[in-house]
């Protein structure tokens, strides 16, 4: 069996390498187009090295659209807030479902599983009506509060804590820590692999969210970057050089989050409670 695995390993690497190149080419083209004038982009061709290299696209998006910095700030506030709340609430809920037995805990767990199965599109109109009644339209809380906890990651944290060694918590209790002390000082620090996975997925989801800001934000000053990109589309022409430059700026924070937290995420493969 091992010989068969070793025999096909080079082929697997070749296939994965080809797939990586195919998926990476669109990003390289977008990066290249962000340094090209519009005339070079619309002229056709797939050359990745710009013939007329320019930084004017990046300069123009800040000069032509004075709210671009505000949109970036809006996206950062929403994404960071949603990520922080999810890390706290999802972890606490997952830990409670994994460790604490209380009346209705089983029903609550299956209700959370049921929420995962409900398509998000079904709740768009009810969510909008509730937020409108609360007077939260064109505000940060309109997006942050409904996304402060997510059933998918509550389930993920529950599964993680079920496999978490109880001996560590018992040792913490012997040292005088209560339930909250053991959770925040022992359990949560050792849950970094699961928290890193949450951070990557939740931040990217909140940063790239398009439908909810489009539905809830009508004030241009409250736009996020995902909505603001549409402002570079004219009636008869799309300014792809500006769109690509803004897209690259939008991609960088999510890329940095992934690079930083990926090393913690990989630790989850070899994570043990006796660390």
């Amino acid at each position: 069996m091992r010989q068969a695995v070793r025999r096909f390993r080079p082929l697997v690497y070749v296939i994965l390498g080809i797939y990586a190149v195919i998926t990476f080419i669109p990003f390289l083209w977008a990066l290249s187009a962000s340094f090209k004038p519009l005339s070079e982009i619309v002229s056709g061709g797939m050359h990745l090295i710009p013939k007329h290299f320019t930084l004017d696209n990046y300069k123009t998006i800040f000069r032509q659209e004075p709210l671009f910095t505000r949109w970036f700030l809006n996206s950062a506030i929403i994404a960071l807030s949603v990520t922080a709340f999810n890390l706290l609430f999802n972890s606490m809920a997952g830990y409670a479902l994994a460790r604490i037995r209380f009346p209705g805990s089983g029903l609550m767990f299956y209700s959370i599983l049921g929420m995962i199965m409900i398509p998000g599109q079904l709740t768009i109109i009810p969510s909008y009506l509730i937020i409108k009644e609360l007077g939260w339209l064109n505000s940060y809380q309109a997006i942050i509060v409904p996304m402060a906890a997510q059933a998918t990651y509550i389930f993920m944290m529950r599964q993680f804590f079920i496999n978490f060694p109880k001996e560590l918590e018992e040792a913490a209790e012997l040292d005088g820590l209560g339930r909250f002390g053991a959770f925040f000082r022992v359990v949560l620090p050792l849950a970094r692999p699961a928290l890193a996975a949450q951070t990557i997925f939740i931040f990217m989801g909140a940063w790239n969210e398009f439908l909810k800001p489009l539905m809830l934000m009508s004030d241009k000053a409250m736009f996020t970057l995902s909505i603001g990109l549409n402002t570079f589309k004219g009636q008869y022409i799309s300014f792809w050089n500006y769109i690509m430059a803004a897209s690259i700026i939008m991609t960088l924070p999510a890329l940095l989050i992934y690079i930083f937290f990926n090393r913690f995420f990989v630790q989850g493969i070899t994570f043990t409670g006796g660390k």
Side-chain angles (χ1 to χ4, degrees), residues 95 99 160-161 164-193 195 271-273 275:
Y95 181 79
R99 286 289 191 265
F160 178 86
F161 288 130
F164 191 87
K166 294 182 179 180
E167 293 79 7
L168 293 176
E169 300 171 62
E170 294 171 354
E173 292 176 1
L174 290 176
D175 289 336
L177 291 177
R179 176 76 71 177
F180 280 94
F183 175 75
F184 284 105
R185 300 180 63 178
V186 177
V187 177
L188 208 57
L190 290 176
R192 284 185 299 178
L195 296 176
F271 176 78
T272 60
K275 181 176 179 181

Side-chain angles (χ1 to χ4, degrees), residues 111-252:
S111 298
I112 291 174
L113 289 181
M115 292 172 62
I116 298 176
M117 303 175 189
I118 298 175
Q121 292 81 356
L122 294 180
T123 62
I124 290 178
I125 295 178
S127 298
Y128 176 83
L129 295 176
I130 292 172
I131 291 172
K132 182 180 179 181
E133 288 298 320
L134 292 173
W136 286 0
L137 295 178
N138 291 307
S139 66
Y140 294 126
Q141 60 265 31
I143 300 177
I144 294 174
V145 173
M147 296 178 65
Q150 299 183 36
T152 301
Y153 300 105
I154 292 176
F155 173 75
M156 186 188 80
M157 294 305 298
R158 176 190 179 271
Q159 298 305 110
F160 178 86
F161 288 130
I162 283 179
N163 299 316
F164 191 87
K166 294 182 179 180
E167 293 79 7
L168 293 176
E169 300 171 62
E170 294 171 354
E173 292 176 1
L174 290 176
D175 289 336
L177 291 177
R179 176 76 71 177
F180 280 94
F183 175 75
F184 284 105
R185 300 180 63 178
V186 177
V187 177
L188 208 57
L190 290 176
R192 284 185 299 178
L195 296 176
Q198 273 198 88
T199 301
I200 293 172
F201 297 134
I202 294 173
F203 182 88
M204 287 185 175
W207 181 264
N208 296 321
E209 181 63 47
F210 178 80
L211 183 58
K212 291 179 181 178
L214 180 65
M215 178 179 63
L216 301 172
M217 305 298 187
S218 58
D219 184 0
K220 193 174 181 180
M222 293 302 298
F223 283 1
T224 59
L225 274 179
S226 57
I227 303 177
L229 291 178
N230 285 326
T231 62
F232 298 109
K233 293 183 179 181
Q235 183 176 1
Y236 302 106
I237 185 173
S238 294
F239 297 94
W240 292 111
N241 51 336
Y242 302 149
I243 293 175
M244 292 300 104
S247 298
I248 293 300
I249 294 176
M250 183 177 176
T251 303
L252 288 178

Side-chain angles (χ1 to χ4, degrees), residues 80-91 144-145 147-149:
L80 291 174
S81 299
V82 168
T83 303
F85 284 128
N86 271 270
L87 290 178
L88 177 62
F89 296 148
N90 296 341
S91 301
I144 294 174
V145 173
M147 296 178 65

Side-chain angles (χ1 to χ4, degrees), residues 45-64:
M46 283 296 295
H47 54 277
L48 297 178
I49 300 177
K51 296 180 181 179
H52 304 90
F53 185 88
T54 179
L55 294 175
D56 291 342
N57 298 330
Y58 290 93
K59 297 177 182 178
T60 303
I61 59 177
F62 287 99
R63 295 174 182 173
Q64 178 177 318

